[in-house]
Amino acid sequence: MGAAVFFGCAGIAFGPALALVLLTVAAEPLRVIVLVAGAFFWLVSLLLASLIWFISVHLSNREDAKLQYSLLIFGAAVSVLLQEAFRFAYFKLLKKADEGLAMISEDGRSPISLRQMAYVSGLSFGIISGVFSVINILADSIGPGIVGIHGDSPYYFITSAFLTMALVLLHTFWGVIFFDACEKHRHWCLGLVVASHLLTSGLTFLNPWYEASLVPIFIITLCTGLWAFFTAGGSFRNVLKCLSCKQEDDSRVMMYSALQVPFED
Amino acid sequence: MITFMNNSDSEEEPCNERTSLMSAESPPVPSYQDGLQASEAGEAQAHRKRRTGGSRSPNNTADGDMSDSGVPVRESALENEEEELTLKYGAKHVIMLFVPVTLCMIVVVATIKSVRFYTEKNGQLIYTPFSEDTPSVGQRLLNSVLNTIIMISVIIVMTVFLVLLYKYRCYKFIHGWLILSSLMLLFLFTYIYLGEVLKTYNVAMDYPTLFLIIWNFGAVGMICIHWKGPLQLQQAYLIMISALMALVFIKYLPEWSAWVILGAISIYDLMAVLCPKGPLRMLVETAQERNEPIFPALIYSSAMMWTVGMAKPDTAARRASQQTWDAAEDGRENHSSPSHANSQMSERRSPVPTRPINSFEELEEEERGVKLGLGDFIFYSVLVGKAAATASGDWNTTLACFVAILIGLCLTLLLLAVFKKALPALPISITFGLIFYFSTDNLVRPFMDTLASHQLYI
């Protein structure tokens, strides 16, 4: 316990997210704004879902543990659906913003493409979702204590960290796929994204049976990642080209005459 | 308030690579060169009437060389160009304000979470005399409302007093007031803060070392804030004093009073900046009429302008509209002493849109910037700090308030780009912050806690 667990779990949970933010988002102001606004949209969706859950809990019998557990499942499902609904709303907003930016720019093209916005919005949903899930756990891991002293799993912290990492990456991939599906009106893709989100959330209900929850979730993450990669236009050839670090031949030819000082008459 | 600024460097001598010091004052608008004066004047008039916040690109000087007949055409072309520039730089401005606001909040939250002194109840300010230790909820609510009324009245009185002082040109009094308050913040409050931090981490420090540290910190701070200093150092000092002031408020304001005061002060900010007879607006307009050079600004300014071999701006050019809000901002100087804190807070929150600068050929690189009053920093940090202090050890509430405030700031800057005049920076952010605080603390926290106890993820 203590600092080692805190830093280790924080690194596992937020390492990829931090690297992605530092390398791709932090340098561009517009992307940072898209990131923060995405977090805001996710928070609003969570607020509404919590409201629904809160009302349902207060209207029900508090003593009945089974009922409370099923209300929790219901709340989680509502939250997943609301998150996807707000992702769609964010897509609409970003689409409009994209058109606005294209209109006012000098060359008619917006400084940020819809695909980049899809990626950043997915990342923002992932980061804020991961942070809200795990930050209190991380804060508790600094202090003294024994994990699972009442018979719960002793691997609580590390599995939470891995689940958070998977969730961050999943949200990023879902963002890319979702926006692309909305653009091309492929409704089956949308349905698949929502279904996989519900499936992931449902798999976490199998905790602490980690073999049944963590392993499938990571498999889903991998598959969704490949799907997002191909949706975003990636291909095997692109990967090879990137890895071989070949410089593209410059197709522009320098006109040396242009460099000459014009002759004075 | 939030303003755009087009040049932030105002000095009697030009600031160039040789002199890397940035004056704390905002720069005057560079003068027209004599040859261009006639053509530029027309455009300047049009600009002043439009009260735009954009800055012109160096191309304008080339435009200025053309004949005057092109003025209307040039004006509309320039307007479009300005629109583009405004919106193009808009995202950059937002980030230029996100970073200091975030830093201030991080300092405040880190202190609140680690140093216990700032969450202990040790009395109240004289501006909130009613105690909240009453048994009944109604009585407590009544006391907090009364506290708020007293606090806001004190702020209004102080602001009006300052406007009167400014109107009757009692500049020395205002200068002295500002210097006294920053002295108190930089020395006394820093001493208390350092003492508490050392106590928390059980670090021993002898008095000579302490004296050396505090003396250096305070003296350099006074110089940076009131005279000249590197821009980033000045910004760092402004962030630190805002954080210190916010910590004082978090410590000494009782709980319910703090929330009601936050709500009331955003309403006051809205009215004072936008209503025609509002004190802050009157301050801005008086300063505009006079076109005076600025007081040592205790407004956070985010940009700087480098000029190389800048032509000496003649005093006529200094009469650019810019000066107005500079004076206005100065009106809201920062005070650390609680007695003056209130008015100063309110005043500090009134940046004004900057006038477009008329650049001339020698202007090298110029960055447009935005100014945000220190009062805004303070109240944002008070909200987030209170959320960190009182939300049952929950980090989710703090983060939700943080995101809400940033989004409010973003929206306010968007409105600034659209309306191009001084806007209050508190209402939208504080409203979002309050909504998110209460809803996250009461609705989201039980939900997330229950989910976490079963290790469920949504």
Side-chain angles (χ1 to χ4, degrees):
Chain A
M1 292 286 289
V5 175
F6 171 73
F7 282 111
C9 289
I12 292 175
F14 295 117
L18 192 68
L20 286 173
V21 166
L22 283 179
L23 289 176
T24 58
V25 175
E28 295 270 323
L30 218 47
R31 291 181 199 167
V32 176
I33 296 175
V34 172
L35 194 79
V36 178
F40 180 73
F41 270 72
W42 189 89
L43 280 176
V44 175
S45 84
L46 181 68
L47 208 83
L48 291 175
S50 313
L51 183 66
I52 295 175
W53 176 79
F54 192 77
I55 293 176
S56 70
V57 161
H58 273 264
L59 290 177
S60 71
N61 179 16
R62 298 281 195 97
E63 307 302 315
D64 191 352
K66 262 199 129 26
L67 179 66
Q68 295 301 314
Y69 192 67
S70 31
L71 278 179
L72 196 64
I73 298 180
F74 166 70
V78 165
S79 166
V80 166
L81 293 172
L82 275 173
Q83 281 179 50
E84 298 301 326
F86 271 81
R87 204 197 294 271
F88 182 70
Y90 197 38
F91 163 74
K92 283 274 177 225
L93 179 72
L94 284 180
K95 189 117 193 280
K96 219 173 264 183
D98 191 37
E99 287 162 14
L101 282 171
M103 249 195 319
I104 59 145
S105 82
E106 289 163 351
D107 51 0
R109 282 183 310 139
S110 142
I112 183 173
S113 76
L114 198 63
R115 280 224 179 114
Q116 288 174 0
M117 290 203 274
Y119 159 70
V120 177
S121 81
L123 188 59
S124 71
F125 269 53
I127 291 178
I128 192 76
S129 160
V131 163
F132 260 62
S133 305
V134 95
I135 194 102
N136 283 327
I137 298 171
L138 284 178
D140 286 336
S141 75
I142 298 182
I146 299 178
V147 191
I149 198 170
H150 291 295
D152 300 305
S153 161
Y155 302 116
Y156 185 78
F157 288 139
I158 192 121
T159 50
S160 298
F162 274 106
L163 271 172
T164 309
M165 175 177 84
L167 203 67
V168 169
L169 293 173
L170 272 172
H171 268 286
T172 314
F173 302 145
W174 284 330
V176 172
I177 300 170
F178 194 94
F179 277 45
D180 187 71
C182 286
E183 272 281 281
K184 302 196 175 127
H185 298 288
R186 289 195 193 137
H187 299 286
W188 61 274
C189 278
L190 286 184
L192 213 58
V193 166
V194 177
S196 83
H197 194 169
L198 281 168
L199 180 65
T200 310
S201 182
L203 279 172
T204 60
F205 280 79
L206 294 176
N207 284 332
W209 186 20
Y210 294 125
E211 295 86 352
S213 67
L214 266 185
V215 174
I217 287 181
F218 270 91
I219 294 176
I220 294 177
T221 310
L222 208 63
C223 298
T224 322
L226 284 172
W227 185 11
F229 178 69
F230 288 117
T231 310
S235 67
F236 193 54
R237 192 176 301 173
N238 281 352
V239 174
L240 283 181
K241 213 198 284 189
C242 174
L243 287 176
S244 68
C245 299
K246 234 193 289 200
Q247 294 276 351
E248 255 188 40
D249 289 326
D250 203 331
S251 52
R252 287 166 291 151
V253 176
M254 271 278 252
M255 298 292 296
Y256 281 99
S257 59
L259 298 176
Q260 285 174 356
V261 175
F263 289 113
E264 310 264 331
D265 281 340
Chain B
M1 294 208 288
I2 285 190
T3 70
F4 269 120
M5 51 186 256
N6 286 325
N7 51 41
S8 62
D9 181 17
S10 107
E11 293 165 336
E12 289 67 28
E13 358 27 280
C15 171
N16 50 32
E17 292 99 88
R18 278 165 276 143
T19 69
S20 57
L21 293 182
M22 299 293 305
S23 165
E25 304 178 350
S26 285
V29 168
S31 65
Y32 309 151
Q33 294 198 329
D34 293 323
L36 306 173
Q37 186 125 17
S39 54
E40 297 274 36
E43 290 166 318
Q45 281 298 329
H47 276 290
R48 243 175 252 137
K49 283 186 203 129
R50 282 203 303 270
R51 303 186 72 202
T52 59
S55 75
R56 297 206 217 154
S57 66
N59 295 335
N60 292 350
T61 48
D63 289 342
D65 283 328
M66 300 187 309
S67 69
D68 280 346
S69 57
V71 169
V73 173
R74 252 186 301 145
E75 275 177 13
S76 60
L78 281 165
E79 211 176 302
N80 282 341
E81 209 179 287
E82 279 202 21
E83 282 274 336
E84 266 181 44
L85 282 169
T86 306
L87 287 164
K88 190 166 142 194
Y89 289 114
K92 215 165 155 199
H93 291 155
V94 174
I95 303 303
M96 285 200 278
L97 283 184
F98 270 12
V99 174
V101 168
T102 307
L103 282 175
C104 191
M105 288 196 232
I106 286 177
V107 170
V108 169
V109 170
T111 311
I112 292 280
K113 289 282 186 184
S114 53
V115 179
R116 205 156 303 162
F117 172 72
Y118 288 102
T119 43
E120 288 164 0
K121 288 290 306 163
N122 261 346
Q124 301 181 188
L125 295 171
I126 54 168
Y127 305 103
T128 53
F130 294 93
S131 156
E132 284 192 10
D133 279 331
T134 55
S136 77
V137 171
Q139 181 71 18
R140 191 172 182 186
L141 195 62
L142 182 69
N143 281 355
S144 51
V145 171
L146 289 172
N147 279 339
T148 309
I149 292 175
I150 296 177
M151 187 84 152
I152 301 287
S153 331
V154 168
I155 291 179
I156 294 178
V157 163
M158 291 286 186
T159 314
V160 170
F161 180 50
L162 200 74
V163 172
L164 287 174
L165 277 180
Y166 187 68
K167 244 185 157 70
Y168 294 111
R169 301 174 188 266
C170 309
Y171 296 137
K172 287 210 188 300
F173 193 94
I174 297 179
H175 269 299
W177 198 359
L178 298 181
I179 289 183
L180 209 63
S181 69
S182 26
L183 263 176
M184 187 161 157
L185 259 181
L186 281 170
F187 287 98
L188 179 64
F189 284 18
T190 310
Y191 169 71
I192 295 173
Y193 179 79
L194 196 60
E196 292 306 321
V197 170
L198 291 174
K199 261 190 239 177
T200 304
Y201 291 104
N202 205 17
V203 173
M205 187 182 274
D206 53 309
Y207 274 114
T209 314
L210 186 72
F211 172 73
L212 210 63
I213 292 177
I214 302 264
W215 168 249
N216 278 306
F217 180 82
V220 175
M222 288 301 290
I223 293 175
C224 267
I225 294 174
H226 290 279
W227 192 52
K228 297 185 217 225
L231 180 72
Q232 285 180 325
L233 196 61
Q234 183 193 340
Q235 292 173 338
Y237 269 105
L238 291 175
I239 293 174
M240 280 190 268
I241 59 179
S242 307
L244 284 173
M245 196 68 232
L247 285 169
V248 166
F249 273 138
I250 294 172
K251 180 173 171 63
Y252 288 111
L253 286 179
E255 287 205 24
W256 290 23
S257 307
W259 299 114
V260 185
I261 285 176
L262 276 172
I265 206 148
S266 38
I267 298 175
Y268 163 72
D269 195 23
L270 191 69
M271 295 201 306
V273 173
L274 295 179
C275 288
K277 279 296 169 191
L280 300 183
R281 187 165 169 159
M282 279 175 42
L283 201 63
V284 169
E285 283 167 4
T286 316
Q288 273 175 352
E289 284 163 29
R290 290 187 197 167
N291 293 322
E292 277 166 340
I294 313 150
F295 288 126
L298 286 176
I299 301 281
Y300 179 93
S301 70
S302 58
M304 55 189 256
M305 180 180 79
W306 289 97
T307 66
V308 173
M310 189 166 114
K312 190 135 202 245
D314 58 317
T315 45
R318 283 176 185 242
R319 262 166 233 143
S321 33
Q322 297 266 330
Q323 306 309 325
T324 63
W325 20 273
D326 294 333
E329 296 152 355
D330 304 328
R332 328 149 184 287
E333 300 305 59
N334 150 42
H335 281 234
S336 52
S337 71
S339 50
H340 305 300
N342 316 317
S343 58
Q344 307 325 53
M345 297 318 126
S346 51
E347 282 135 11
R348 251 175 294 158
R349 287 172 290 101
S350 48
V352 193
T354 62
R355 296 290 179 248
I357 56 173
N358 306 296
S359 51
F360 32 72
E361 294 95 46
E362 282 136 356
L363 209 57
E364 283 282 341
E365 191 184 295
E366 144 218 337
E367 269 189 43
R368 303 169 46 189
V370 191
K371 288 187 182 182
L372 183 64
L374 287 193
D376 295 321
F377 275 87
I378 291 175
F379 283 106
Y380 292 161
S381 307
V382 166
L383 192 143
V384 175
K386 268 279 183 217
T390 63
S392 352
D394 191 42
W395 282 90
N396 289 345
T397 317
T398 313
L399 284 165
C401 291
F402 168 69
V403 173
I405 287 181
L406 285 187
I407 290 295
L409 189 61
C410 194
L411 284 173
T412 312
L413 283 168
L414 192 70
L415 287 177
L416 182 70
V418 168
F419 288 113
K420 299 193 174 77
K421 60 181 206 153
L423 286 182
L426 280 186
I428 303 179
S429 289
I430 299 282
T431 310
F432 279 174
L434 288 174
I435 293 175
F436 270 75
Y437 171 75
F438 287 109
S439 54
T440 311
D441 201 31
N442 297 316
L443 300 175
V444 176
R445 190 175 47 88
F447 185 45
M448 296 304 287
D449 280 349
T450 319
L451 285 175
S453 66
H454 295 273
Q455 209 174 9
L456 301 176
Y457 281 71
I458 48 169

